[in-house]
Amino acid sequence: MKSAFISTILFFGLAFHPSFSQVQNFTRLNQFLDSLEIHDKFMGTVLLASEGKPVFQRAIGYADLDKGLKANIETHYRIGSISKMFTAVLVLQAVEDGILSLDQKLADFYPQIPHAEKITMSMLLQHRTGIHNFTNNADYLSYHTKPLSEAELVEIIVAGGSDFEPDAKGDYSNSNFVLLTFILEKINEMPFSQLLKTQISNPLNLKSTYVFTGIDPSKGEGYSYNFDGKWMRDVETDPSIPLGAGAITSDVNDLNSFIYALFEGKLISQESLKLMMEIKENFGRGMFSFPYSEKRSYGHTGGIDGFRSFLGYFPEEKVTVTVLSNGLNYNNNDILIALLDSYFGKDIVLPSFQQVSLTTEDLERYVGDYASDQIPLKLTFVREGNKLVAKPTGQPATALEATKEHTFEFKPVNAVFLFDPEKKQVTLKQGGQSFVFKRQ
């Protein structure tokens, strides 16, 4: 869902790199980022750090496009589900302080939640509750910009029911961390925003890290944008909805300081950190694990409105990589690979953004409704001007990029559409899988 505070696991280790020379030359990386900027593929900030100290950082694009206000390395962006790392730290601090237990049941706080008597704090942290993810609901985008009370949000979560028995499996749900937010507020007797400031931001001197309100570029904050032929400003989710699941604003230097302090034992004990890093069916407690060749990082991804974010830390190498974007028209995974390849001394292949020029008659060959026997998804393709636009069932319309004959791409999610007009079908290739759709 486009505007939900989502988290996508990026497996940027798919390209195997057999050796690393550890010779850092960021000239090629700057050329790569120049190309993204020139072709309207990325707006935001990136950072690489070693042992907590930045070795490369750069800002691209605008904090406020309408006013021509350029972004800089200190521009604050909404970080979406990276917020969950902060919430997990606050939960584990409460456990260390003896005011909460990981085995404590949700029923102690919200007995009305289905299976609350079986659900523990640990399951909430590790997405093993079965509690339905309310941001997946069809009506979510009808209210996400409006303030909601605790009672209203809990009512929505209760109505969503349970998708599976607690601890039967892992499945991502923002509902888990919204509930954890309310629990933290109850046991600490203070708002989440104040708790974040008192327990994390102030001790680490994180001046750009706080629960957001309305975006104000005059205060160093950036708006978010989506690309539809040009950058278009996105809506703003109200902070009362994502809370500890996605309501934090920060910048790349603050996030670097946060994750370095976390792994250096300055926020929680090493025993608690190990609990965060304990991966079960892809989920840690407020944390994911991401491979890069034989190396492994820990961190989180995030998405809210037009913002996309990534924060990762390699404990063995003590390397931080951070990407915060307020406009993304490219695959975030490729940006991460470029950053890491550059840091570890590998060559970067510069992207080619040459497009195929198609006539109205060419595009009309692909227009129509398509369905597949493999997955319960329908695709509708329409022509809008000189662009082919895909409209998947229940998802936003997306303008596709023609890259060669009968081939279109949507690079932000690495989706490739291969048309065969003679057979009246299109093949969707994504994530190593292929799905054939027949025109109806």
Side-chain angles (χ1 to χ4, degrees):
M1 184 171 293
K2 169 177 161 289
S3 293
F5 36 106
I6 59 173
S7 181
T8 303
I9 303 176
L10 302 174
F11 294 99
F12 51 84
L14 294 179
F16 178 68
H17 304 303
S19 63
F20 300 97
S21 59
Q22 194 79 26
V23 177
Q24 295 155 4
N25 183 340
F26 298 119
T27 301
R28 195 76 166 170
L29 178 58
N30 273 312
Q31 293 173 345
F32 174 86
L33 294 172
D34 286 343
S35 183
L36 297 187
E37 183 173 31
I38 290 168
H39 292 93
D40 286 328
K41 297 299 180 181
F42 173 79
M43 293 199 297
T45 54
V46 301
L47 175 144
L48 287 164
S50 175
E51 297 187 353
K53 298 177 181 178
V55 296
F56 179 88
Q57 50 188 332
R58 182 170 170 186
I60 287 176
Y62 293 84
D64 186 343
L65 191 58
D66 291 337
K67 294 185 177 179
L69 180 62
K70 292 280 287 184
N72 59 57
I73 204 65
E74 296 178 347
T75 301
H76 316 164
Y77 301 103
R78 296 185 175 189
I79 62 173
S81 288
I82 293 177
S83 303
K84 292 179 174 69
M85 289 187 70
F86 290 82
T87 303
V89 167
L90 293 171
V91 169
L92 290 166
Q93 286 178 343
V95 171
E96 291 178 1
D97 290 340
I99 58 175
L100 191 68
S101 166
L102 287 180
D103 294 327
Q104 195 164 350
K105 299 297 194 294
L106 180 59
D108 290 348
F109 304 96
Y110 296 102
Q112 68 271 43
I113 301 289
H115 303 306
E117 72 286 354
K118 300 178 183 178
I119 295 170
T120 66
M121 299 298 107
S122 180
M123 292 177 199
L124 288 166
L125 285 170
Q126 210 165 17
H127 296 291
R128 301 189 62 80
T129 64
I131 298 173
H132 180 71
N133 184 6
F134 75 98
T135 64
N136 284 347
N137 293 342
D139 65 344
Y140 172 75
L141 295 182
S142 69
Y143 65 77
H144 74 292
T145 60
K146 306 169 185 176
L148 291 182
S149 67
E150 175 187 350
E152 289 171 320
L153 271 173
V154 171
E155 183 179 354
I156 290 171
I157 292 172
V158 170
S162 178
D163 293 338
F164 55 87
E165 278 289 315
D167 208 28
K169 64 177 183 177
D171 194 17
Y172 195 85
S173 175
N174 287 302
S175 304
N176 295 324
F177 277 77
V178 168
L179 292 171
L180 283 170
T181 305
F182 292 139
I183 291 168
L184 284 169
E185 291 183 330
K186 293 178 190 302
I187 63 176
N188 288 282
E189 298 181 341
M190 69 173 67
F192 180 78
S193 58
Q194 185 62 37
L195 189 60
L196 173 68
K197 182 178 180 180
T198 301
Q199 297 292 100
I200 299 178
S201 294
N202 282 355
L204 297 182
N205 196 30
L206 308 181
K207 298 186 182 299
S208 303
T209 303
Y210 48 85
V211 171
F212 59 69
T213 53
I215 295 173
D216 186 351
S218 71
K219 295 180 180 178
E221 300 171 344
Y223 291 121
S224 74
Y225 297 86
N226 292 302
F227 193 81
D228 186 11
K230 62 179 180 178
W231 293 113
M232 307 288 291
R233 194 169 128 190
D234 207 345
V235 298
E236 298 177 30
T237 296
D238 189 87
S240 66
I241 295 173
L243 300 168
I248 295 177
T249 283
S250 190
D251 67 23
V252 288
N253 278 292
D254 270 14
L255 290 177
N256 171 48
S257 296
F258 164 73
I259 201 165
Y260 185 67
L262 173 61
F263 277 84
E264 289 294 301
K266 296 180 180 179
L267 290 171
I268 55 177
S269 69
Q270 289 298 319
E271 290 74 18
S272 293
L273 177 60
K274 288 178 182 177
L275 291 173
M276 288 187 71
M277 296 169 65
E278 186 178 80
I279 306 298
K280 187 174 183 180
E281 294 180 318
N282 295 327
F283 298 101
R285 293 176 177 87
M287 186 180 285
F288 294 119
S289 177
F290 308 96
Y292 172 74
S293 187
E294 76 279 7
K295 303 179 187 299
R296 184 163 293 276
S297 72
Y298 294 85
H300 218 289
T301 58
I304 185 167
D305 306 326
F307 297 97
R308 294 295 178 267
S309 54
F310 178 88
L311 174 63
Y313 184 77
F314 293 81
E316 293 296 320
E317 296 78 14
K318 294 192 174 183
V319 171
T320 304
V321 57
T322 307
V323 178
L324 298 181
S325 70
N326 65 327
L328 190 62
N329 184 30
Y330 193 67
N331 185 261
N332 206 35
N333 204 46
D334 292 341
I335 298 174
L336 289 165
I337 291 174
L339 286 163
L340 291 168
D341 282 353
S342 182
Y343 181 87
F344 289 112
K346 302 300 294 181
D347 189 31
I348 297 174
V349 178
L350 297 182
S352 172
F353 295 115
Q354 292 183 346
Q355 294 191 38
V356 176
S357 180
L358 297 174
T359 66
T360 298
E361 291 74 18
D362 291 331
L363 292 173
E364 288 293 340
R365 300 174 70 189
Y366 312 120
V367 169
D369 298 320
Y370 295 75
S372 175
D373 294 331
Q374 296 170 265
I375 52 175
L377 176 71
K378 291 187 177 181
L379 297 172
T380 297
F381 296 95
V382 299
R383 182 184 63 80
E384 294 185 2
N386 63 345
K387 287 284 187 180
L388 186 68
V389 176
K391 296 182 177 181
T393 305
Q395 299 180 38
T398 300
L400 304 179
E401 184 177 317
T403 54
K404 54 185 176 181
E405 186 179 17
H406 304 322
T407 304
F408 296 79
E409 297 184 30
F410 182 53
K411 291 189 182 296
V413 295
N414 266 3
V416 180
F417 299 87
L418 303 174
F419 285 88
D420 188 332
E422 299 301 321
K423 293 183 179 180
K424 297 183 178 180
Q425 68 182 38
V426 59
T427 300
L428 167 62
K429 291 183 175 290
Q430 186 178 27
Q433 299 185 74
S434 297
F435 305 98
V436 177
F437 291 77
K438 296 282 188 179
R439 189 157 66 188
Q440 303 297 288

